[in-house]
Amino acid sequence: MGGVLSALQDRWLALGPAAAAEAGPWRDWRLTRDDEGIAWLLIDRADRSANTLDETVLRQLDEVLTSLEASPPKGLVLRSAKRAGFIAGADVAAFAGQSDPAAIEARMAEAHRIVERLAGLAFPTVAVVHGYCLGGGLELALACAHRFAVKGAKLGFPEVMLGLHPGLGGTVRSTELIDPTEAMTLMLTGRSVAAERAASLGLVDAALEERHVAHAVRAACAGALREMRHGLKGAALNATPARRIAARRMRAQTEAKAPAAHYPAPHRLIDLWEAHGGDPTAMQAAERHSFAQLVVTPTAQNLIRVFQLRERLRKAAGEHSTIRQVHVVGAGAMGGDIAGWCALQGLQVTLADRSLPAIGDALRRAAELCRQRHLAGHEGRAVLDRLTPDPRGQGVGQADLVIEAVPERLEVKHALYRELEPQLQPGAILATNTSSLPLEELRSGLAEPDRLIGLHFFNPVARMPLIEVVRHDQASAETVARALAFARALDRVPVPVASAPGFLVNRALTPYLLEAMTLLDEGASKEQIDAAAIGFGMPMGPVELADRVGLDVCLQVALTLRARLDRPLAAIPSWLRDKVEQGELGLKSGQGFYRWQDGKPMRTDGVRPSDTAVSADRLILPLVDACVGCLREQVAEDADSIDAALIFGAGFAPFRGGPLTYAKTRGPAETVAALGQLAEQQGERFQPDPGWSLLT
């Protein structure tokens, strides 16, 4: 039986719809029985690259269960026919734009009925998961008596990222199956775990190599395995007194990272478990009600929209990258981390720099990134083997893509291009990671300017998902398309932008950061300023952000914008230049506005958003107004792209949907009026951009 699954997968994937009629009458499911009487049910959503759950898919599953109950098999195995993974969760499009919680709850009740039917089958049920097994996919697997994860699988509950919590019985089954505090941590963080970790938690029976799956399935269907449940510790933690103590601790930890006023879902989840943990029937009913109430909140609707924006931009970038080998010039904080990230994503990378210690530091950071990603042993070594130190730059001629990340000085980049261009192989792309220099000036002197593109990564590279793909009017369509596909292949969100001053994100961030510096001049403390922004919903304040970006980068971008924009900006304080000249650059030097220790800013304790008289409008509205200017000048294709870029590149409060969505929600007229009031108080830098009519 060992080859049954792979044979069925290969057959169905090769034949596609033509095989559907042979396998059964269901569009998205394939059912067959092997010679031992075990039923194999494969989910294979038609016309989709990934499996997701929606009402139609679950309705078909209900019909499959009717068929199986009429002629019970020895056991049922649930698998995916998609090579990429099991089930990526619910189809979030089904919840976009919803405003009636009662209708949502009714739909969830029907979905629960079907999943409960799967859980109640009279014969053994086994879920075998590979690749991604997330959200509703994991909840479906949890309804089976046994679960096996093929090594390499990732399991998790990412619903909190969408402003929700599990809604197909996952809150109940996970806290009943494993240590409830571990289950709550999975749901509260949204992080996925590898197959081996899932096995150690008890989320799956075992993590297996594919070749061992058939034997494990046979044992499970023969009743040789007992169903897993947490032990005495889990039962004690589900008891009411222990739940209350644990919930109180969870609530405090969650509030520090995701305030209930901005992100209600994790707090509702804690309430749900505290009130009903240990009572599956009551908890399931409460889960459905809570889920339905959350779906219609502005937070969930905005986060669902942000998710859809991300997917839209990635899909538009194309699926197939032709970039296999990358050469990076500059092993500093950006270039070195770009090289490490490319190697992590499976590319062959050569890294050049005149400083051998800089290359060594970059290699150490790449090794640390592997440790953070839990790539131990041969997996970590494979990443580092793909990252080759290349102080002489010998990799240029073999690279499909050369990325320069050298200092932001035009003459330095021009000199480098004169050296690089003759070595480029035919068809290779030359990319710059410049954060502000116009590509029209950078291309000067190039024999083939059509293959120059901007690939603007954000710091820290491993955490910031955005890449601005900066085009200019001489870049070829092929160069732009290949750059977009490359960005997607790096698991980043590519946003095409024009070669305008500051591009998009830095254009919007600069007024925000300069206003923070103006407030410092007025006597506000850095902690108060940051607290005001965090109170609005930003993940960090502008003063800390400036330190993380680098005060030298902030100064360079501000100088570029002041020289090239026809819009007024706040003054650049002389002391900012002094700090840069003294080497106080922020995080990378250990001292900027804050003193940094172990990657964290040392701040005065006790400052909260409610303690500060700093107005969030002073900080946020200049950023929003700059985004309106970018829309007017068509720096990006549309308002959605601008929202996505500011969320994924600058961390703009995701629950607000992006700066332009925030302005629309607040009301363009009211926002313009607030800018006008600030202009009367603070000066012309707050005069609204002429493009505000585009939002009405």
Side-chain angles (χ1 to χ4, degrees):
M1 191 179 73
V4 170
L5 177 63
S6 58
L8 288 172
Q9 282 183 300
D10 289 343
R11 176 167 172 261
W12 288 334
L13 288 170
L15 297 178
E22 301 172 22
W26 305 286
R27 176 179 170 83
D28 300 308
W29 296 91
R30 311 283 182 259
L31 178 64
T32 190
R33 300 192 190 214
D34 63 25
D35 53 9
E36 295 185 32
I38 296 173
W40 293 80
L41 178 63
L42 276 72
I43 181 170
D44 185 15
R45 288 212 64 178
D47 306 321
R48 300 285 184 94
S49 60
N51 290 323
T52 55
L53 298 178
D54 63 13
E55 289 175 283
T56 300
V57 172
L58 288 173
R59 195 178 305 118
Q60 292 175 51
L61 176 60
D62 200 27
E63 295 171 3
V64 172
L65 298 180
T66 297
S67 171
L68 290 168
E69 287 176 336
S71 178
K74 181 179 178 181
L76 171 66
V77 183
L78 184 62
R79 283 215 73 170
S80 163
K82 306 288 188 191
R83 287 194 175 93
F86 183 63
I87 300 172
D91 186 344
V92 298
F95 300 116
Q98 296 298 317
S99 59
D100 183 356
I104 297 287
E105 189 167 355
R107 287 162 56 188
M108 296 309 296
E110 174 62 9
H112 269 239
R113 180 192 66 78
I114 296 167
V115 175
E116 284 298 309
R117 188 178 184 189
L118 171 65
L121 290 173
F123 41 83
T125 52
V126 185
V128 180
V129 305
H130 68 279
Y132 44 76
C133 175
L134 304 173
L138 179 53
E139 292 180 279
L140 202 63
L142 289 174
C144 295
H146 300 283
R147 286 154 302 285
F148 300 116
V150 177
K151 290 185 177 181
K154 297 289 185 182
L155 299 87
F157 296 108
E159 289 90 346
V160 70
M161 306 297 187
L162 299 177
L164 304 169
H165 56 56
L168 273 180
T171 65
V172 180
R173 290 193 173 89
S174 65
T175 52
E176 289 287 312
L177 179 67
I178 68 174
D179 180 332
T181 58
E182 296 282 8
M184 290 293 289
T185 298
L186 284 175
M187 292 185 283
L188 289 170
T189 63
R191 298 192 192 105
S192 58
V193 295
E196 293 82 356
R197 175 60 176 158
S200 69
L201 289 172
L203 203 59
V204 298
D205 296 59
L208 306 172
E209 299 288 352
E210 180 66 52
R211 65 181 181 273
H212 298 309
V213 166
H215 177 76
V217 164
R218 190 182 299 114
C221 291
L225 302 178
R226 64 181 181 86
E227 289 192 33
M228 300 179 67
R229 284 291 183 271
H230 60 60
L232 293 176
K233 177 186 175 184
L237 286 169
N238 262 332
T240 302
R243 279 204 321 275
R244 288 175 179 165
I245 295 170
R248 188 161 53 246
R249 184 179 66 252
M250 290 176 190
R251 200 170 282 114
Q253 293 171 342
T254 301
E255 181 66 24
K257 295 181 178 180
H262 297 158
Y263 297 99
H267 300 272
R268 300 269 187 92
L269 173 61
I270 295 168
D271 294 343
L272 185 66
W273 178 63
E274 182 180 17
H276 303 292
D279 184 344
T281 302
M283 193 164 173
Q284 284 224 16
E287 177 196 86
R288 293 193 298 269
H289 180 74
S290 176
F291 182 91
Q293 294 292 324
L294 285 168
V295 166
V296 302
T297 60
T299 291
Q301 288 300 310
N302 277 330
L303 291 176
I304 288 169
R305 175 178 166 275
V306 169
F307 173 83
Q308 292 176 311
L309 285 181
R310 178 182 182 129
E311 294 306 299
R312 192 197 84 188
L313 289 164
R314 286 170 54 80
K315 184 176 181 180
E319 294 186 16
H320 304 293
S321 174
T322 59
I323 307 300
R324 298 290 180 268
Q325 186 156 337
V326 178
H327 181 76
V328 179
V329 184
M334 287 302 296
D337 289 355
I338 290 169
W341 185 256
C342 289
L344 186 75
Q345 300 304 315
L347 298 172
Q348 294 294 327
V349 185
T350 48
L351 177 60
D353 198 288
R354 293 177 180 176
S355 167
L356 288 176
I359 293 177
D361 287 343
L363 293 174
R364 281 189 286 274
R365 294 197 303 275
E368 177 59 27
L369 177 62
C370 290
R371 285 191 288 272
Q372 291 171 358
R373 299 276 164 156
H374 306 293
L375 298 176
H378 71 279
E379 291 179 313
R381 287 193 298 273
V383 173
L384 297 177
D385 286 346
R386 291 193 291 268
L387 179 54
T388 304
D390 185 16
R392 296 183 180 180
Q394 295 172 314
V396 176
Q398 288 74 49
D400 304 306
L401 170 67
V402 175
I403 303 174
E404 63 85 358
V406 299
E408 289 283 271
R409 295 199 299 274
L410 195 60
E411 67 277 10
V412 172
K413 293 181 185 289
H414 277 162
L416 177 63
Y417 295 175
R418 287 193 295 271
E419 179 185 335
L420 291 175
E421 190 177 24
Q423 302 179 59
L424 296 175
Q425 66 174 332
I429 296 173
L430 175 61
T432 174
N433 185 52
T434 182
S435 57
S436 61
L437 295 176
L439 269 68
E440 290 80 4
E441 295 183 9
L442 288 173
R443 75 188 182 205
S444 175
L446 286 174
E448 296 181 75
D450 59 310
R451 56 177 173 174
L452 176 69
I453 197 76
L455 288 174
H456 183 205
F457 292 75
F458 289 80
N459 188 28
V461 171
R463 291 177 54 192
M464 301 305 289
L466 178 70
I467 297 179
E468 288 181 327
V469 179
V470 188
R471 61 189 185 276
H472 57 101
D473 58 7
Q474 292 184 16
S476 70
E478 180 185 3
T479 296
V480 175
R482 292 179 69 201
L484 288 166
F486 167 73
R488 176 179 176 175
L490 289 185
D491 194 28
R492 305 290 83 176
V493 180
V495 175
V497 301
S499 178
F503 311 139
L504 175 52
V505 172
N506 282 341
R507 165 82 170 271
L509 275 182
T510 299
Y512 171 70
L513 299 178
L514 286 178
E515 198 59 37
M517 295 179 198
T518 301
L519 284 163
L520 286 171
D521 274 341
E522 293 175 4
S525 72
K526 54 185 180 292
E527 289 87 359
Q528 286 178 320
I529 295 167
D530 281 353
I534 292 168
F536 174 81
M538 304 295 270
M540 70 180 68
V543 182
E544 179 181 343
L545 178 61
D547 266 3
R548 288 186 179 275
V549 169
L551 300 191
D552 53 338
V553 176
C554 293
L555 177 60
Q556 178 62 45
V557 173
L559 290 169
T560 300
L561 288 181
R562 284 190 69 84
R564 299 174 187 276
L565 281 183
D566 58 2
R567 298 279 298 156
L569 283 172
I572 301 172
S574 59
W575 48 258
L576 177 61
R577 300 171 191 262
D578 294 340
K579 276 183 169 292
V580 172
E581 289 176 1
Q582 293 164 11
E584 296 182 4
L585 307 181
L587 171 61
K588 58 189 170 186
S589 68
Q591 177 67 55
F593 291 115
Y594 290 100
R595 184 173 63 83
W596 290 79
Q597 185 174 328
D598 298 326
K600 296 179 180 179
M602 300 294 101
R603 64 178 87 246
T604 303
D605 293 333
V607 177
R608 301 178 182 179
S610 58
D611 297 334
T612 176
V614 173
S615 164
D617 274 1
R618 280 279 301 271
L619 299 166
I620 300 300
L621 292 190
L623 183 156
V624 174
D625 189 65
C627 289
V628 171
C630 289
L631 181 64
R632 172 177 55 82
E633 296 175 20
Q634 296 184 309
V635 175
E637 294 177 355
D638 51 32
D640 283 349
S641 296
I642 292 172
D643 277 346
L646 268 295
I647 289 169
F648 295 123
F652 186 91
F655 72 95
R656 296 191 186 274
L660 295 181
T661 293
Y662 165 70
K664 292 176 187 176
T665 303
R666 180 170 176 172
E670 180 186 329
T671 312
V672 168
L675 279 164
Q677 290 175 358
L678 286 169
E680 291 177 5
Q681 300 165 8
Q682 303 295 330
E684 64 175 353
R685 69 184 183 277
F686 284 98
Q687 286 294 340
D689 188 276
W692 275 91
S693 60
L694 296 171
L695 294 188
T696 58

